[in-house]
């Protein structure tokens, strides 16, 4: 079997938006090649002596590739994707050069490259993400392992925004908290919350394909077996109850829509953890949180990305 790869050349801040464009248009998965990834390079095995400067990598910008079945209408797809990429500057995102090209990829070559570059990654002090085909044993006593099947998606768990959210969970989870993971994607954040000690967890995504993928990953992690998943546009369809923690790792433009609604599902003094915030959107995001009665407790930075821990003080509203 052969696949077609649609490649978008862009900038780091547009990676998540373009990934979403590709998946919305039917990509079976995405591959990200980001020049800033090397800024956060850490060997997953301390015994492997590989210097960052010895790793072959791109030196500027980024590319996002979507994999499509060979029978897909590539002319229609490239036109639709190009049109959507051209609109990203209207949302304040730098997407240049924004070129969209097509490459043929043999299935065997794709599978080989995929497993060649996706290995266990120590995301934080307590959490390591491991692909399901790797036989990995924790190195440290307090190390927790998340097993993932990324499908065709490269680098699951390694993006700075994901790392920031898991770091935030390590800060706020004390044990037994109820959690909503909005835009759960692979389910990695909900699973991480459970491994860190959270109680009932609900993961939502607007895309039923993502929910199915997340369920597959939940099934690989018995500790998170009772994590619930559902299709929902932001918080529109979630149960009418209040949670201790709301997680949201998504585009800043979508976070802006979520912020006014999050108080409806937060317990008094509940925490809202949000990421996907590029450096030039941070001040606006903090302002939006404050205007909606949320107090910023901590702002975390990794490369050009920010994560925020905010608290809902009901008595202030």
């Amino acid at each position: 079997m052969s696949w077609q790869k649609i490649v978008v050349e862009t900038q780091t801040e547009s990676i998540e938006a373009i990934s979403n464009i590709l998946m919305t248009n039917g990509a079976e998965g995405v591959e990200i090649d980001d020049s800033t990834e090397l800024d956060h390079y850490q060997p997953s095995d301390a015994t492997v002596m590989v210097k960052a400067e010895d790793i072959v990598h791109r030196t500027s910008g980024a590319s996002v590739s979507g994999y499509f079945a060979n029978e897909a209408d590539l002319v229609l797809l490239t036109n639709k994707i190009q049109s959507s990429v051209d609109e990203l500057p209207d949302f304040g995102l730098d997407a240049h050069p924004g070129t969209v090209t097509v490459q043929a990829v043999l299935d065997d070559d794709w599978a080989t490259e995929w497993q060649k570059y996706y290995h266990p990654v120590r995301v934080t002090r307590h959490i390591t993400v491991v692909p399901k085909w790797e036989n990995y044993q924790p190195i440290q006593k307090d190390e927790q392992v998340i097993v993932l099947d990324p499908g065709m998606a490269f680098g699951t768990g390694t993006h700075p925004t994901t790392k920031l959210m898991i770091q935030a969970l390590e800060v706020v989870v004390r044990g037994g908290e109820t959690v909503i993971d909005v835009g759960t994607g692979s389910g990695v954040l909900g699973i991480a919350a459970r491994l860190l000690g959270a109680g009932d967890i609900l993961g939502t995504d607007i895309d039923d394909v993502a929910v199915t993928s997340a369920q597959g990953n939940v099934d690989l992690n018995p500790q998170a077996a009772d994590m619930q998943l559902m299709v929902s546009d932001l918080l529109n369809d979630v149960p009418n109850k209040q949670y201790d923690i709301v997680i949201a790792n998504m585009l800043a433009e979508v976070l802006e829509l979520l912020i006014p609604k999050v108080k409806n599902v937060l317990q008094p003094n509940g925490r809202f953890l949000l990421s996907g915030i590029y450096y030039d959107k941070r001040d606006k995001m903090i302002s939006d949180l404050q205007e909606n009665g949320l107090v910023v407790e901590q702002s975390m930075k990794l490369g050009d990305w920010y994560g925020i821990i905010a608290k809902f003080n009901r008595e202030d509203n």
Side-chain angles (χ1 to χ4, degrees):
M1 181 179 180
S2 61
W3 296 84
Q4 301 289 343
K5 180 166 72 169
I6 295 181
V7 183
V8 183
E9 290 291 329
T10 187
Q11 302 299 312
T12 298
E13 67 179 89
S14 293
I15 285 174
E16 292 190 45
I18 292 173
S19 297
N20 185 62
I21 290 169
L22 292 169
M23 296 299 288
T24 300
N25 281 281
E28 298 290 338
V30 296
E31 172 187 0
I32 296 169
D33 186 8
D34 182 7
S35 61
T36 68
E37 277 296 312
L38 198 63
D39 297 341
H40 319 298
Y41 170 74
Q42 292 182 339
S44 59
D45 185 343
T47 66
V48 178
M49 301 302 293
V50 179
K51 297 180 180 179
E53 58 266 26
D54 293 334
I55 300 174
V56 177
H57 65 286
R58 69 184 297 147
T59 57
S60 64
S63 68
V64 185
S65 303
Y67 287 85
F68 297 83
N70 196 39
E71 61 269 19
D73 187 340
L74 295 179
V75 173
L76 176 63
L77 282 171
T78 52
N79 287 337
K80 289 177 64 179
I81 291 166
Q82 185 70 72
S83 178
S84 296
V85 171
D86 290 343
E87 293 175 355
L88 291 180
D90 296 340
F91 296 94
L93 293 173
D94 178 6
H96 83 273
T99 56
V100 180
T101 59
V102 176
Q103 300 175 16
V105 181
L106 294 177
D107 190 44
D108 289 345
D109 291 342
W110 162 50
T112 300
E113 289 301 303
W114 174 33
Q115 296 196 13
K116 177 180 177 182
Y117 290 106
Y118 189 38
H119 298 294
V121 175
R122 191 74 176 268
V123 180
T124 67
R125 177 171 174 264
H126 296 286
I127 298 291
T128 297
V129 176
V130 178
K132 71 173 186 177
W133 57 82
E134 289 272 358
N135 182 17
Y136 178 83
Q137 297 299 319
I139 298 170
Q140 296 184 358
K141 183 177 180 181
D142 60 351
E143 183 179 356
Q144 299 274 10
V145 173
I146 298 175
V147 180
L148 291 184
D149 180 0
M152 295 176 73
F154 284 60
T156 302
T158 65
H159 193 273
T161 60
T162 306
K163 292 181 179 181
L164 288 166
M165 281 293 87
I166 296 178
Q167 290 172 4
L169 284 167
E170 290 183 349
V171 171
V172 303
V173 173
R174 293 291 178 266
E177 293 89 350
T178 53
V179 178
I180 291 187
D181 178 14
V182 184
T184 193
S186 69
V188 65
L189 295 179
I191 296 168
R194 169 52 54 80
L195 294 185
L196 293 169
D200 292 340
I201 301 170
L202 172 65
T204 75
D205 204 291
I206 192 172
D207 182 359
D208 56 358
V209 175
V211 169
T212 300
S213 174
Q215 184 62 61
N217 286 323
V218 168
D219 293 341
L220 291 171
N221 295 271
Q223 306 96 315
D226 61 349
M227 175 176 166
Q228 299 297 307
L229 295 162
M230 65 176 292
V231 176
S232 176
D233 183 358
L234 296 180
L235 297 171
N236 291 348
D237 303 304
V238 302
N240 184 23
K241 58 182 289 188
Q242 294 175 331
Y243 294 78
D244 299 307
I245 299 172
V246 175
I247 312 167
N249 179 20
M250 53 187 64
L251 289 173
E253 289 73 23
V254 183
L255 290 173
E256 290 174 0
L257 299 175
L258 179 62
I259 287 172
K261 303 177 180 180
V262 76
K263 294 183 296 183
N264 297 328
V265 298
L266 269 178
Q267 294 275 13
N269 299 316
R271 261 69 177 199
F272 181 29
L273 314 183
L274 56 163
S275 189
I277 306 165
Y278 207 58
Y279 72 93
D280 58 350
K281 304 290 195 305
R282 173 182 174 272
D283 291 347
K284 173 66 164 55
M285 199 62 56
I286 289 176
S287 176
D288 286 351
L289 288 165
Q290 293 171 339
E291 289 176 4
N292 284 275
L294 290 149
V295 177
V296 174
E297 292 189 315
Q298 188 171 338
S299 175
M300 304 169 295
K301 183 176 186 291
L302 189 55
D304 290 327
W305 297 94
Y306 280 89
I308 294 173
I309 300 174
K311 183 178 180 180
F312 176 36
N313 288 335
R314 185 179 296 275
E315 62 270 21
D316 294 337
N317 290 271

